[in-house]
């Protein structure tokens, strides 16, 4: 059975982007090291040792339509895992890459179920923000993973989206200090 992990890079005050969807310095740590993570990223050795196996274990990724639209669906090539499940009330765009392993579902619970089927025993990653917050509120998230960057945004897109209820997490079972990033991982208390 797969584990559902809500994940994103986040400012210390809890934002994943500013109000205009700009990430500013949140992703700077992806280029401040000497260890190759991908053809686009070089991170510190300690961050690479944490991130590489995490990425390798992702079977599917759940994102909202907004993330899909602003990334242009990564041009049909998932940034992690083999499948992308997009939560959207709109169908896939006309002419969208027919061979791309993308699935459009109009309900968060159905999206998580579809992603779990596709992932098999591997991890289901859920992008933090509105969709991640909805999945957490529905009790569908097993773990919360944050890459905390030392910057204060003051306002913007919240890590937990519009969650308006209390949810308890266990003490972090992963705490890794990288270069300009702190990797944290919490199990969701049931």
């Amino acid at each position: 059975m797969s584990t559902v992990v809500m994940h994103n890079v986040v400012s210390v005050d809890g934002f994943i982007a500013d109000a205009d969807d700009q990430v500013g310095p949140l992703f700077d740590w992806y280029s401040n090291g000497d260890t190759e993570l991908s053809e686009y990223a070089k991170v510190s050795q300690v961050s690479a040792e944490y991130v590489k196996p995490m990425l390798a274990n992702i079977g599917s990724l759940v994102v909202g339509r907004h993330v899909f639209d602003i990334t242009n669906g990564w041009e049909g090539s998932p940034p992690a895992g083999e499948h992308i499940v997009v939560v959207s009330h709109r169908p896939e765009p006309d002419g969208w890459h027919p061979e791309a392993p993308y699935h459009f579902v109009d309900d968060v619970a159905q999206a998580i179920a579809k992603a779990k089927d596709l992932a098999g025993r591997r991890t289901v990653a859920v992008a933090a923000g509105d969709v991640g917050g909805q999945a957490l509120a529905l009790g569908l998230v097993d773990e919360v993973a944050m890459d905390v960057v030392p910057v204060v945004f003051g306002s913007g897109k919240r890590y937990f989206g519009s969650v308006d209820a209390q949810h308890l997490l266990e003490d972090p079972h992963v705490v890794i200090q990288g270069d300009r990033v702190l990797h944290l991982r919490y199990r969701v208390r049931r």
Side-chain angles (χ1 to χ4, degrees):
M1 177 165 236
S2 57
T3 299
V4 177
V5 180
M6 181 173 151
H7 178 256
N8 216 324
V9 178
V10 61
S11 66
V12 294
D13 58 342
F15 296 101
I16 57 176
D18 68 17
D20 297 321
D21 292 315
Q22 300 302 307
V23 296
L26 288 180
F27 285 25
D28 287 357
W29 68 275
Y30 281 114
S31 60
N32 70 1
D34 57 4
T35 304
E36 189 170 300
L37 187 60
S38 72
E39 64 182 285
Y40 307 106
K42 282 190 165 188
V43 299
S44 68
Q45 179 68 36
V46 69
S47 286
E49 289 171 1
Y50 168 70
V51 174
K52 280 183 179 182
M54 182 180 67
L55 288 175
N57 197 43
I58 294 173
S60 59
L61 174 61
V62 178
V63 301
R65 182 59 180 255
H66 184 69
V67 169
F68 173 84
D69 287 343
I70 65 175
T71 62
N72 196 30
W74 298 278
E75 299 298 331
S77 180
E82 285 82 43
H83 299 276
I84 301 283
V85 179
V86 181
V87 179
S88 177
H89 297 296
R90 294 178 283 143
E92 65 186 63
D94 288 337
W96 177 247
H97 305 273
E99 73 289 345
Y102 284 55
H103 312 270
F104 289 75
V105 178
D106 68 358
D107 176 84
V108 172
Q110 291 174 2
I112 298 295
K114 176 74 173 174
K116 287 175 105 172
D117 285 345
L118 293 166
R121 293 178 180 255
R122 296 177 68 200
T123 300
V124 171
V126 180
D130 287 330
V131 168
Q134 290 174 47
L136 179 71
L138 290 169
L140 303 174
V141 172
D142 300 308
E143 295 184 17
V144 172
M146 304 173 132
D147 298 320
V148 183
V149 175
V151 63
V152 175
F153 272 25
S155 65
K157 308 289 175 123
R158 294 170 43 192
Y159 180 93
F160 290 101
S162 59
V163 169
D164 61 357
Q166 184 178 79
H167 297 274
L168 296 176
L169 306 176
E170 298 294 342
D171 287 339
H173 63 281
V174 173
V175 179
I176 299 171
Q177 183 176 343
D179 186 5
R180 303 283 305 156
V181 64
L182 179 64
H183 306 287
L184 300 171
R185 209 156 163 167
Y186 304 84
R187 289 185 183 92
V188 176
R189 191 178 287 181
R190 302 282 184 211

